[in-house]
Amino acid sequence: MELKALILRAPGINRDADAALACELAGARPERVHVNRIAEGSVKLADYALLVIPGGFSYGDHLGAGRLLAVDLIHRLGEELERFVVDGRPVIGICNGFQVLVKAGLLPGPTRQAPRVTLTTNESCQFECRWVQLEAVSNSRCLFTSGIERPIEVPVAHGEGRIAVRDQATLAELEAAGLVALRYVGEGYPANPNGSPHNIAGLCNAQGNVLGLMPHPENAVLPHQHPRWTREPARREGDGLQIFRNAVRYAASL
């Protein structure tokens, strides 16, 4: 049976085509679906094995990006989305999609717990757009980063991507529980483009099937997307493709 990936569309999201290509290259059949079609019942989230919430500026909400779409998802798709996650199906939110997952309470979770994490303005107080190095955290529960044993290179493009935690105890709890999935490689700016503590680039939930990250792995799936592609002819694919392959492989195992 063909594995279907739902690429969520909403006003302002602009990376849905990129995410669809990444899922297709990873072995899934992507379908770009507007949130209204799910809310009205013409499309069932339960018919899909993988959910991707792409980046962009959902609802044009540049300040507090992701909040309006998060509220929309909670009120219109709350039970369906929560069941999707509890069933163990993979969900990935990228950049603005990461913000949506945090604002909706799906990361670091559980949904009904008081918010412990948010995303705020970069320490540099400016939009950061360039390639960065990431490393998978060894003790992470995250299924998306399985088998990633060397630093990978993917681009970032955000102005509001700094992770902020309620207190130091919360930060220690995230680390100990294996909810930190990815880190920026290197200390301080510019290696860490937004100033997130402990160089955190991505978080997962306790099940490991929900990942939110600020960098864009969907824009690092083809060799010629990398700025050094002409100097590295041996590069057969982009580093970000492994994240989507892991998701598709895991979804198929369910």
Side-chain angles (χ1 to χ4, degrees), residues 80-129:
E80 196 172 356
L81 183 57
E82 189 171 350
R83 187 163 57 250
F84 192 93
V85 172
V86 171
D87 286 346
R89 304 188 199 195
V91 178
I92 181 172
I94 304 165
C95 198
N96 187 201
F98 182 15
Q99 295 164 331
V100 171
L101 292 176
V102 169
K103 304 294 185 185
L106 292 174
L107 282 177
T111 307
R112 294 182 177 84
Q113 193 174 65
R116 298 178 294 162
V117 173
T118 189
L119 288 145
T120 187
T121 308
N122 297 344
E123 275 192 349
S124 64
C125 297
Q126 63 185 11
F127 186 80
E128 300 288 344
C129 183

mmCIF file of all heavy atoms in Angstrom, residues 80-129:
data_model
loop_
_atom_site.group_PDB
_atom_site.id
_atom_site.type_symbol
_atom_site.label_atom_id
_atom_site.label_comp_id
_atom_site.label_asym_id
_atom_site.label_seq_id
_atom_site.Cartn_x
_atom_site.Cartn_y
_atom_site.Cartn_z
ATOM 1 N N GLU A 80 -8.507 15.225 16.396
ATOM 2 C CA GLU A 80 -7.966 14.444 15.280
ATOM 3 C C GLU A 80 -6.436 14.493 15.271
ATOM 4 O O GLU A 80 -5.771 13.474 15.070
ATOM 5 C CB GLU A 80 -8.525 15.001 13.970
ATOM 6 C CG GLU A 80 -8.362 14.067 12.786
ATOM 7 C CD GLU A 80 -9.095 14.565 11.552
ATOM 8 O OE1 GLU A 80 -9.786 15.595 11.633
ATOM 9 O OE2 GLU A 80 -8.944 13.924 10.499
ATOM 10 N N LEU A 81 -5.882 15.668 15.522
ATOM 11 C CA LEU A 81 -4.430 15.818 15.546
ATOM 12 C C LEU A 81 -3.820 15.101 16.740
ATOM 13 O O LEU A 81 -2.784 14.426 16.611
ATOM 14 C CB LEU A 81 -4.073 17.310 15.577
ATOM 15 C CG LEU A 81 -2.593 17.675 15.537
ATOM 16 C CD1 LEU A 81 -1.921 17.097 14.300
ATOM 17 C CD2 LEU A 81 -2.422 19.195 15.571
ATOM 18 N N GLU A 82 -4.457 15.205 17.892
ATOM 19 C CA GLU A 82 -3.944 14.534 19.079
ATOM 20 C C GLU A 82 -3.962 13.014 18.907
ATOM 21 O O GLU A 82 -3.024 12.328 19.300
ATOM 22 C CB GLU A 82 -4.774 14.937 20.304
ATOM 23 C CG GLU A 82 -4.176 14.466 21.621
ATOM 24 C CD GLU A 82 -4.876 15.053 22.822
ATOM 25 O OE1 GLU A 82 -5.689 15.968 22.650
ATOM 26 O OE2 GLU A 82 -4.585 14.590 23.940
ATOM 27 N N ARG A 83 -5.019 12.499 18.282
ATOM 28 C CA ARG A 83 -5.102 11.058 18.021
ATOM 29 C C ARG A 83 -4.005 10.619 17.044
ATOM 30 O O ARG A 83 -3.417 9.540 17.195
ATOM 31 C CB ARG A 83 -6.485 10.716 17.472
ATOM 32 C CG ARG A 83 -6.747 9.222 17.315
ATOM 33 C CD ARG A 83 -8.226 8.924 17.179
ATOM 34 N NE ARG A 83 -8.837 9.647 16.061
ATOM 35 C CZ ARG A 83 -9.701 10.648 16.210
ATOM 36 N NH1 ARG A 83 -10.047 11.057 17.423
ATOM 37 N NH2 ARG A 83 -10.216 11.248 15.149
ATOM 38 N N PHE A 84 -3.721 11.449 16.058
ATOM 39 C CA PHE A 84 -2.669 11.172 15.079
ATOM 40 C C PHE A 84 -1.325 10.991 15.790
ATOM 41 O O PHE A 84 -0.561 10.062 15.498
ATOM 42 C CB PHE A 84 -2.594 12.330 14.075
ATOM 43 C CG PHE A 84 -1.767 12.083 12.851
ATOM 44 C CD1 PHE A 84 -2.335 11.599 11.693
ATOM 45 C CD2 PHE A 84 -0.399 12.350 12.853
ATOM 46 C CE1 PHE A 84 -1.573 11.374 10.545
ATOM 47 C CE2 PHE A 84 0.371 12.132 11.728
ATOM 48 C CZ PHE A 84 -0.218 11.641 10.571
ATOM 49 N N VAL A 85 -1.052 11.881 16.751
ATOM 50 C CA VAL A 85 0.209 11.825 17.495
ATOM 51 C C VAL A 85 0.235 10.627 18.428
ATOM 52 O O VAL A 85 1.233 9.884 18.485
ATOM 53 C CB VAL A 85 0.412 13.132 18.291
ATOM 54 C CG1 VAL A 85 1.607 13.018 19.230
ATOM 55 C CG2 VAL A 85 0.602 14.310 17.344
ATOM 56 N N VAL A 86 -0.841 10.394 19.161
ATOM 57 C CA VAL A 86 -0.896 9.263 20.103
ATOM 58 C C VAL A 86 -0.736 7.942 19.376
ATOM 59 O O VAL A 86 -0.127 6.999 19.902
ATOM 60 C CB VAL A 86 -2.222 9.300 20.902
ATOM 61 C CG1 VAL A 86 -2.402 8.021 21.712
ATOM 62 C CG2 VAL A 86 -2.243 10.513 21.817
ATOM 63 N N ASP A 87 -1.242 7.849 18.157
ATOM 64 C CA ASP A 87 -1.103 6.626 17.360
ATOM 65 C C ASP A 87 0.338 6.371 16.931
ATOM 66 O O ASP A 87 0.643 5.321 16.369
ATOM 67 C CB ASP A 87 -1.998 6.691 16.121
ATOM 68 C CG ASP A 87 -3.466 6.495 16.450
ATOM 69 O OD1 ASP A 87 -3.760 6.045 17.581
ATOM 70 O OD2 ASP A 87 -4.315 6.794 15.591
ATOM 71 N N GLY A 88 1.216 7.363 17.151
ATOM 72 C CA GLY A 88 2.625 7.180 16.832
ATOM 73 C C GLY A 88 3.027 7.617 15.445
ATOM 74 O O GLY A 88 4.174 7.413 15.029
ATOM 75 N N ARG A 89 2.112 8.233 14.695
ATOM 76 C CA ARG A 89 2.441 8.643 13.336
ATOM 77 C C ARG A 89 3.362 9.869 13.369
ATOM 78 O O ARG A 89 3.201 10.760 14.209
ATOM 79 C CB ARG A 89 1.165 8.966 12.559
ATOM 80 C CG ARG A 89 0.179 7.810 12.555
ATOM 81 C CD ARG A 89 -0.992 8.078 11.632
ATOM 82 N NE ARG A 89 -2.117 7.211 11.976
ATOM 83 C CZ ARG A 89 -3.161 7.007 11.186
ATOM 84 N NH1 ARG A 89 -3.225 7.616 10.015
ATOM 85 N NH2 ARG A 89 -4.137 6.223 11.571
ATOM 86 N N PRO A 90 4.330 9.923 12.457
ATOM 87 C CA PRO A 90 5.305 11.026 12.482
ATOM 88 C C PRO A 90 4.702 12.373 12.101
ATOM 89 O O PRO A 90 3.902 12.470 11.162
ATOM 90 C CB PRO A 90 6.356 10.588 11.454
ATOM 91 C CG PRO A 90 6.140 9.126 11.260
ATOM 92 C CD PRO A 90 4.679 8.900 11.463
ATOM 93 N N VAL A 91 5.112 13.398 12.826
ATOM 94 C CA VAL A 91 4.727 14.787 12.549
ATOM 95 C C VAL A 91 5.997 15.626 12.594
ATOM 96 O O VAL A 91 6.760 15.554 13.562
ATOM 97 C CB VAL A 91 3.729 15.321 13.595
ATOM 98 C CG1 VAL A 91 3.389 16.785 13.300
ATOM 99 C CG2 VAL A 91 2.463 14.467 13.644
ATOM 100 N N ILE A 92 6.221 16.428 11.560
ATOM 101 C CA ILE A 92 7.381 17.317 11.561
ATOM 102 C C ILE A 92 6.923 18.737 11.250
ATOM 103 O O ILE A 92 6.158 18.965 10.315
ATOM 104 C CB ILE A 92 8.471 16.852 10.554
ATOM 105 C CG1 ILE A 92 9.679 17.796 10.590
ATOM 106 C CG2 ILE A 92 7.912 16.715 9.142
ATOM 107 C CD1 ILE A 92 10.873 17.299 9.781
ATOM 108 N N GLY A 93 7.365 19.693 12.071
ATOM 109 C CA GLY A 93 7.089 21.105 11.855
ATOM 110 C C GLY A 93 8.405 21.826 11.626
ATOM 111 O O GLY A 93 9.324 21.732 12.443
ATOM 112 N N ILE A 94 8.499 22.546 10.521
ATOM 113 C CA ILE A 94 9.747 23.179 10.106
ATOM 114 C C ILE A 94 9.612 24.693 10.157
ATOM 115 O O ILE A 94 8.689 25.266 9.581
ATOM 116 C CB ILE A 94 10.131 22.737 8.677
ATOM 117 C CG1 ILE A 94 10.218 21.205 8.590
ATOM 118 C CG2 ILE A 94 11.437 23.376 8.247
ATOM 119 C CD1 ILE A 94 10.237 20.675 7.168
ATOM 120 N N CYS A 95 10.541 25.343 10.865
ATOM 121 C CA CYS A 95 10.583 26.810 10.970
ATOM 122 C C CYS A 95 9.252 27.331 11.515
ATOM 123 O O CYS A 95 8.939 27.111 12.676
ATOM 124 C CB CYS A 95 10.941 27.424 9.615
ATOM 125 S SG CYS A 95 11.533 29.133 9.716
ATOM 126 N N ASN A 96 8.436 27.986 10.705
ATOM 127 C CA ASN A 96 7.131 28.437 11.177
ATOM 128 C C ASN A 96 6.295 27.247 11.666
ATOM 129 O O ASN A 96 5.520 27.369 12.616
ATOM 130 C CB ASN A 96 6.409 29.166 10.039
ATOM 131 C CG ASN A 96 5.119 29.832 10.469
ATOM 132 O OD1 ASN A 96 4.265 30.097 9.631
ATOM 133 N ND2 ASN A 96 4.950 30.108 11.754
ATOM 134 N N GLY A 97 6.477 26.076 11.034
ATOM 135 C CA GLY A 97 5.786 24.873 11.477
ATOM 136 C C GLY A 97 6.220 24.428 12.863
ATOM 137 O O GLY A 97 5.417 23.880 13.635
ATOM 138 N N PHE A 98 7.480 24.659 13.207
ATOM 139 C CA PHE A 98 7.984 24.394 14.556
ATOM 140 C C PHE A 98 7.260 25.306 15.540
ATOM 141 O O PHE A 98 6.816 24.881 16.612
ATOM 142 C CB PHE A 98 9.492 24.632 14.567
ATOM 143 C CG PHE A 98 10.187 24.353 15.879
ATOM 144 C CD1 PHE A 98 9.581 23.638 16.896
ATOM 145 C CD2 PHE A 98 11.494 24.802 16.088
ATOM 146 C CE1 PHE A 98 10.245 23.372 18.096
ATOM 147 C CE2 PHE A 98 12.168 24.543 17.272
ATOM 148 C CZ PHE A 98 11.530 23.836 18.278
ATOM 149 N N GLN A 99 7.128 26.568 15.170
ATOM 150 C CA GLN A 99 6.422 27.513 16.030
ATOM 151 C C GLN A 99 4.976 27.081 16.245
ATOM 152 O O GLN A 99 4.433 27.187 17.351
ATOM 153 C CB GLN A 99 6.491 28.907 15.404
ATOM 154 C CG GLN A 99 7.905 29.458 15.341
ATOM 155 C CD GLN A 99 8.040 30.638 14.400
ATOM 156 O OE1 GLN A 99 7.306 30.742 13.425
ATOM 157 N NE2 GLN A 99 8.992 31.518 14.688
ATOM 158 N N VAL A 100 4.343 26.560 15.191
ATOM 159 C CA VAL A 100 2.963 26.080 15.303
ATOM 160 C C VAL A 100 2.868 24.941 16.319
ATOM 161 O O VAL A 100 1.982 24.925 17.178
ATOM 162 C CB VAL A 100 2.445 25.620 13.928
ATOM 163 C CG1 VAL A 100 1.094 24.910 14.061
ATOM 164 C CG2 VAL A 100 2.313 26.802 12.972
ATOM 165 N N LEU A 101 3.787 23.990 16.248
ATOM 166 C CA LEU A 101 3.767 22.850 17.167
ATOM 167 C C LEU A 101 3.977 23.291 18.613
ATOM 168 O O LEU A 101 3.349 22.765 19.535
ATOM 169 C CB LEU A 101 4.839 21.837 16.772
ATOM 170 C CG LEU A 101 4.616 21.093 15.454
ATOM 171 C CD1 LEU A 101 5.811 20.189 15.151
ATOM 172 C CD2 LEU A 101 3.330 20.274 15.483
ATOM 173 N N VAL A 102 4.862 24.266 18.818
ATOM 174 C CA VAL A 102 5.116 24.775 20.171
ATOM 175 C C VAL A 102 3.893 25.528 20.697
ATOM 176 O O VAL A 102 3.448 25.306 21.829
ATOM 177 C CB VAL A 102 6.367 25.674 20.183
ATOM 178 C CG1 VAL A 102 6.488 26.418 21.516
ATOM 179 C CG2 VAL A 102 7.624 24.835 19.941
ATOM 180 N N LYS A 103 3.340 26.413 19.864
ATOM 181 C CA LYS A 103 2.188 27.211 20.297
ATOM 182 C C LYS A 103 0.958 26.333 20.529
ATOM 183 O O LYS A 103 0.099 26.657 21.351
ATOM 184 C CB LYS A 103 1.862 28.295 19.266
ATOM 185 C CG LYS A 103 3.004 29.236 18.922
ATOM 186 C CD LYS A 103 3.424 30.103 20.078
ATOM 187 C CE LYS A 103 4.489 31.104 19.642
ATOM 188 N NZ LYS A 103 5.012 31.887 20.774
ATOM 189 N N ALA A 104 0.874 25.223 19.801
ATOM 190 C CA ALA A 104 -0.257 24.310 19.963
ATOM 191 C C ALA A 104 -0.087 23.376 21.153
ATOM 192 O O ALA A 104 -1.012 22.638 21.499
ATOM 193 C CB ALA A 104 -0.449 23.489 18.690
ATOM 194 N N GLY A 105 1.095 23.382 21.774
ATOM 195 C CA GLY A 105 1.340 22.544 22.934
ATOM 196 C C GLY A 105 1.771 21.132 22.609
ATOM 197 O O GLY A 105 1.915 20.289 23.499
ATOM 198 N N LEU A 106 2.020 20.843 21.318
ATOM 199 C CA LEU A 106 2.455 19.497 20.928
ATOM 200 C C LEU A 106 3.941 19.284 21.178
ATOM 201 O O LEU A 106 4.413 18.153 21.219
ATOM 202 C CB LEU A 106 2.128 19.245 19.455
ATOM 203 C CG LEU A 106 0.636 19.152 19.120
ATOM 204 C CD1 LEU A 106 0.433 19.062 17.626
ATOM 205 C CD2 LEU A 106 -0.003 17.957 19.822
ATOM 206 N N LEU A 107 4.668 20.367 21.322
ATOM 207 C CA LEU A 107 6.083 20.301 21.671
ATOM 208 C C LEU A 107 6.348 21.263 22.823
ATOM 209 O O LEU A 107 5.876 22.410 22.787
ATOM 210 C CB LEU A 107 6.975 20.680 20.476
ATOM 211 C CG LEU A 107 7.176 19.618 19.416
ATOM 212 C CD1 LEU A 107 8.023 20.165 18.271
ATOM 213 C CD2 LEU A 107 7.828 18.354 19.980
ATOM 214 N N PRO A 108 7.131 20.863 23.818
ATOM 215 C CA PRO A 108 7.601 19.472 23.960
ATOM 216 C C PRO A 108 6.533 18.521 24.456
ATOM 217 O O PRO A 108 6.777 17.335 24.571
ATOM 218 C CB PRO A 108 8.751 19.607 24.965
ATOM 219 C CG PRO A 108 8.384 20.800 25.788
ATOM 220 C CD PRO A 108 7.689 21.745 24.855
ATOM 221 N N GLY A 109 5.304 19.040 24.752
ATOM 222 C CA GLY A 109 4.168 18.220 25.152
ATOM 223 C C GLY A 109 4.228 17.903 26.646
ATOM 224 O O GLY A 109 5.199 18.216 27.331
ATOM 225 N N PRO A 110 3.182 17.236 27.170
ATOM 226 C CA PRO A 110 1.935 16.900 26.468
ATOM 227 C C PRO A 110 1.061 18.118 26.225
ATOM 228 O O PRO A 110 1.317 19.194 26.770
ATOM 229 C CB PRO A 110 1.251 15.912 27.417
ATOM 230 C CG PRO A 110 1.744 16.314 28.770
ATOM 231 C CD PRO A 110 3.168 16.782 28.572
ATOM 232 N N THR A 111 0.027 17.943 25.404
ATOM 233 C CA THR A 111 -0.769 19.066 24.907
ATOM 234 C C THR A 111 -1.363 19.920 26.016
ATOM 235 O O THR A 111 -1.348 21.141 25.940
ATOM 236 C CB THR A 111 -1.902 18.534 24.000
ATOM 237 O OG1 THR A 111 -1.324 17.696 23.007
ATOM 238 C CG2 THR A 111 -2.645 19.665 23.336
ATOM 239 N N ARG A 112 -1.909 19.291 27.057
ATOM 240 C CA ARG A 112 -2.658 20.046 28.057
ATOM 241 C C ARG A 112 -1.783 20.599 29.190
ATOM 242 O O ARG A 112 -2.279 21.157 30.148
ATOM 243 C CB ARG A 112 -3.769 19.169 28.634
ATOM 244 C CG ARG A 112 -4.833 18.810 27.608
ATOM 245 C CD ARG A 112 -5.941 17.975 28.224
ATOM 246 N NE ARG A 112 -6.986 17.685 27.255
ATOM 247 C CZ ARG A 112 -6.931 16.681 26.397
ATOM 248 N NH1 ARG A 112 -5.903 15.872 26.401
ATOM 249 N NH2 ARG A 112 -7.913 16.470 25.542
ATOM 250 N N GLN A 113 -0.498 20.435 29.081
ATOM 251 C CA GLN A 113 0.392 20.950 30.125
ATOM 252 C C GLN A 113 0.658 22.436 29.889
ATOM 253 O O GLN A 113 0.631 22.915 28.758
ATOM 254 C CB GLN A 113 1.703 20.170 30.108
ATOM 255 C CG GLN A 113 2.581 20.404 31.323
ATOM 256 C CD GLN A 113 3.789 19.482 31.284
ATOM 257 O OE1 GLN A 113 4.621 19.593 30.405
ATOM 258 N NE2 GLN A 113 3.885 18.590 32.250
ATOM 259 N N ALA A 114 0.891 23.185 30.961
ATOM 260 C CA ALA A 114 1.199 24.605 30.820
ATOM 261 C C ALA A 114 2.460 24.781 29.968
ATOM 262 O O ALA A 114 3.413 24.004 30.084
ATOM 263 C CB ALA A 114 1.410 25.225 32.199
ATOM 264 N N PRO A 115 2.487 25.776 29.082
ATOM 265 C CA PRO A 115 3.639 25.974 28.185
ATOM 266 C C PRO A 115 4.949 26.113 28.956
ATOM 267 O O PRO A 115 5.032 26.878 29.912
ATOM 268 C CB PRO A 115 3.289 27.264 27.442
ATOM 269 C CG PRO A 115 1.805 27.374 27.540
ATOM 270 C CD PRO A 115 1.439 26.776 28.853
ATOM 271 N N ARG A 116 5.946 25.352 28.541
ATOM 272 C CA ARG A 116 7.267 25.430 29.161
ATOM 273 C C ARG A 116 8.297 26.036 28.220
ATOM 274 O O ARG A 116 9.370 26.425 28.637
ATOM 275 C CB ARG A 116 7.728 24.030 29.583
ATOM 276 C CG ARG A 116 6.839 23.361 30.616
ATOM 277 C CD ARG A 116 7.352 21.972 30.934
ATOM 278 N NE ARG A 116 7.232 21.091 29.778
ATOM 279 C CZ ARG A 116 7.885 19.946 29.639
ATOM 280 N NH1 ARG A 116 8.751 19.567 30.554
ATOM 281 N NH2 ARG A 116 7.701 19.189 28.569
ATOM 282 N N VAL A 117 7.955 26.068 26.931
ATOM 283 C CA VAL A 117 8.893 26.503 25.897
ATOM 284 C C VAL A 117 8.166 27.434 24.940
ATOM 285 O O VAL A 117 6.972 27.264 24.668
ATOM 286 C CB VAL A 117 9.433 25.279 25.125
ATOM 287 C CG1 VAL A 117 10.283 25.719 23.943
ATOM 288 C CG2 VAL A 117 10.233 24.367 26.039
ATOM 289 N N THR A 118 8.881 28.428 24.428
ATOM 290 C CA THR A 118 8.339 29.262 23.362
ATOM 291 C C THR A 118 9.480 29.604 22.405
ATOM 292 O O THR A 118 10.634 29.219 22.637
ATOM 293 C CB THR A 118 7.679 30.539 23.926
ATOM 294 O OG1 THR A 118 6.978 31.197 22.862
ATOM 295 C CG2 THR A 118 8.708 31.486 24.528
ATOM 296 N N LEU A 119 9.148 30.302 21.345
ATOM 297 C CA LEU A 119 10.150 30.753 20.378
ATOM 298 C C LEU A 119 10.034 32.259 20.262
ATOM 299 O O LEU A 119 8.932 32.810 20.143
ATOM 300 C CB LEU A 119 9.931 30.081 19.020
ATOM 301 C CG LEU A 119 10.306 28.598 19.028
ATOM 302 C CD1 LEU A 119 9.392 27.798 18.133
ATOM 303 C CD2 LEU A 119 11.755 28.419 18.603
ATOM 304 N N THR A 120 11.184 32.920 20.277
ATOM 305 C CA THR A 120 11.167 34.378 20.279
ATOM 306 C C THR A 120 12.228 34.926 19.325
ATOM 307 O O THR A 120 12.907 34.165 18.632
ATOM 308 C CB THR A 120 11.379 34.900 21.715
ATOM 309 O OG1 THR A 120 11.192 36.305 21.737
ATOM 310 C CG2 THR A 120 12.764 34.547 22.247
ATOM 311 N N THR A 121 12.389 36.232 19.315
ATOM 312 C CA THR A 121 13.256 36.912 18.350
ATOM 313 C C THR A 121 14.716 36.478 18.481
ATOM 314 O O THR A 121 15.232 36.294 19.585
ATOM 315 C CB THR A 121 13.160 38.434 18.553
ATOM 316 O OG1 THR A 121 11.777 38.806 18.540
ATOM 317 C CG2 THR A 121 13.891 39.181 17.459
ATOM 318 N N ASN A 122 15.382 36.330 17.344
ATOM 319 C CA ASN A 122 16.812 36.007 17.334
ATOM 320 C C ASN A 122 17.599 37.001 18.172
ATOM 321 O O ASN A 122 17.271 38.195 18.193
ATOM 322 C CB ASN A 122 17.359 36.046 15.902
ATOM 323 C CG ASN A 122 16.725 35.017 14.991
ATOM 324 O OD1 ASN A 122 16.080 34.072 15.452
ATOM 325 N ND2 ASN A 122 16.909 35.189 13.691
ATOM 326 N N GLU A 123 18.639 36.531 18.815
ATOM 327 C CA GLU A 123 19.493 37.430 19.604
ATOM 328 C C GLU A 123 20.113 38.526 18.753
ATOM 329 O O GLU A 123 20.374 39.621 19.231
ATOM 330 C CB GLU A 123 20.594 36.625 20.313
ATOM 331 C CG GLU A 123 20.159 36.042 21.641
ATOM 332 C CD GLU A 123 21.330 35.517 22.451
ATOM 333 O OE1 GLU A 123 22.448 35.410 21.894
ATOM 334 O OE2 GLU A 123 21.134 35.214 23.633
ATOM 335 N N SER A 124 20.350 38.227 17.486
ATOM 336 C CA SER A 124 20.956 39.217 16.590
ATOM 337 C C SER A 124 19.960 40.308 16.196
ATOM 338 O O SER A 124 20.359 41.319 15.596
ATOM 339 C CB SER A 124 21.472 38.535 15.320
ATOM 340 O OG SER A 124 20.394 37.967 14.590
ATOM 341 N N CYS A 125 18.670 40.108 16.524
ATOM 342 C CA CYS A 125 17.606 41.059 16.171
ATOM 343 C C CYS A 125 17.516 41.289 14.667
ATOM 344 O O CYS A 125 17.156 42.385 14.211
ATOM 345 C CB CYS A 125 17.792 42.391 16.896
ATOM 346 S SG CYS A 125 17.683 42.252 18.683
ATOM 347 N N GLN A 126 17.836 40.250 13.908
ATOM 348 C CA GLN A 126 17.731 40.368 12.462
ATOM 349 C C GLN A 126 17.405 39.008 11.858
ATOM 350 O O GLN A 126 17.556 37.974 12.500
ATOM 351 C CB GLN A 126 19.036 40.896 11.851
ATOM 352 C CG GLN A 126 20.222 39.973 12.046
ATOM 353 C CD GLN A 126 21.520 40.576 11.533
ATOM 354 O OE1 GLN A 126 21.590 41.762 11.216
ATOM 355 N NE2 GLN A 126 22.558 39.762 11.444
ATOM 356 N N PHE A 127 16.946 39.032 10.623
ATOM 357 C CA PHE A 127 16.647 37.811 9.885
ATOM 358 C C PHE A 127 17.963 37.113 9.544
ATOM 359 O O PHE A 127 18.893 37.739 9.043
ATOM 360 C CB PHE A 127 15.880 38.159 8.612
ATOM 361 C CG PHE A 127 15.384 36.976 7.836
ATOM 362 C CD1 PHE A 127 14.239 36.308 8.227
ATOM 363 C CD2 PHE A 127 16.056 36.549 6.707
ATOM 364 C CE1 PHE A 127 13.761 35.226 7.497
ATOM 365 C CE2 PHE A 127 15.593 35.470 5.971
ATOM 366 C CZ PHE A 127 14.445 34.809 6.369
ATOM 367 N N GLU A 128 18.045 35.818 9.822
ATOM 368 C CA GLU A 128 19.260 35.044 9.558
ATOM 369 C C GLU A 128 18.978 34.042 8.444
ATOM 370 O O GLU A 128 18.064 33.227 8.555
ATOM 371 C CB GLU A 128 19.707 34.293 10.818
ATOM 372 C CG GLU A 128 20.032 35.185 12.005
ATOM 373 C CD GLU A 128 21.334 35.955 11.839
ATOM 374 O OE1 GLU A 128 22.142 35.575 10.958
ATOM 375 O OE2 GLU A 128 21.544 36.931 12.578
ATOM 376 N N CYS A 129 19.731 34.125 7.365
ATOM 377 C CA CYS A 129 19.514 33.259 6.201
ATOM 378 C C CYS A 129 20.855 32.773 5.675
ATOM 379 O O CYS A 129 21.579 33.524 5.030
ATOM 380 C CB CYS A 129 18.754 34.019 5.120
ATOM 381 S SG CYS A 129 18.349 33.014 3.684
#
